[in-house]
Amino acid sequence: MKLIIKTTPIFLLSLIFIPLSIFGSIYYTFFDNKGGMALAGTLFIGILIFNLIILFVEQSLIKKDFNRIKVWLIEVIIILLIVLYFYFFR
């Protein structure tokens, strides 16, 4: 089975979030876990699992032929809407 990964905005964001969440989960769970920071490590583990699931589902859905422009447009719009939501309703 040949592993083919399509480049999408979610994949590019995952390249940033996966190493950060691995580092954060290890650091805050095992080394700096005083004052409630173990909860931050647990949240980082949750973010890591959620990100891996989203990435796996997305890559399996676009495994076959797809229109790159439509996928990029839809994912960029979704990411921008999420950023705007957290900016205005934080």
Side-chain angles (χ1 to χ4, degrees):
M1 183 171 156
K2 191 174 185 183
L3 181 65
I4 299 173
I5 297 177
K6 307 284 186 178
T7 306
T8 61
I10 291 178
F11 174 72
L12 295 175
L13 283 177
S14 294
L15 289 177
I16 297 169
F17 285 136
I18 289 174
L20 285 176
S21 59
I22 289 172
F23 173 74
S25 65
I26 291 172
Y27 181 73
Y28 288 123
T29 303
F30 298 114
F31 300 117
D32 188 22
N33 57 2
K34 294 176 180 56
M37 290 308 288
L39 178 62
T42 306
L43 292 174
F44 272 116
I45 292 171
I47 290 169
L48 174 66
I49 292 170
F50 180 74
N51 195 0
L52 289 174
I53 290 171
I54 293 293
L55 187 61
F56 175 73
V57 168
E58 183 218 10
Q59 291 296 319
S60 64
L61 286 176
I62 61 171
K63 188 180 227 180
K64 299 180 182 178
D65 294 331
F66 67 97
N67 190 352
R68 281 186 99 104
I69 295 172
K70 286 183 182 177
V71 171
W72 272 77
L73 184 67
I74 290 170
E75 288 186 6
V76 166
I77 289 172
I78 290 172
I79 292 169
L80 286 175
L81 287 175
I82 291 171
V83 168
L84 287 174
Y85 175 78
F86 282 115
Y87 179 74
F88 287 118
F89 298 112
R90 58 182 164 128

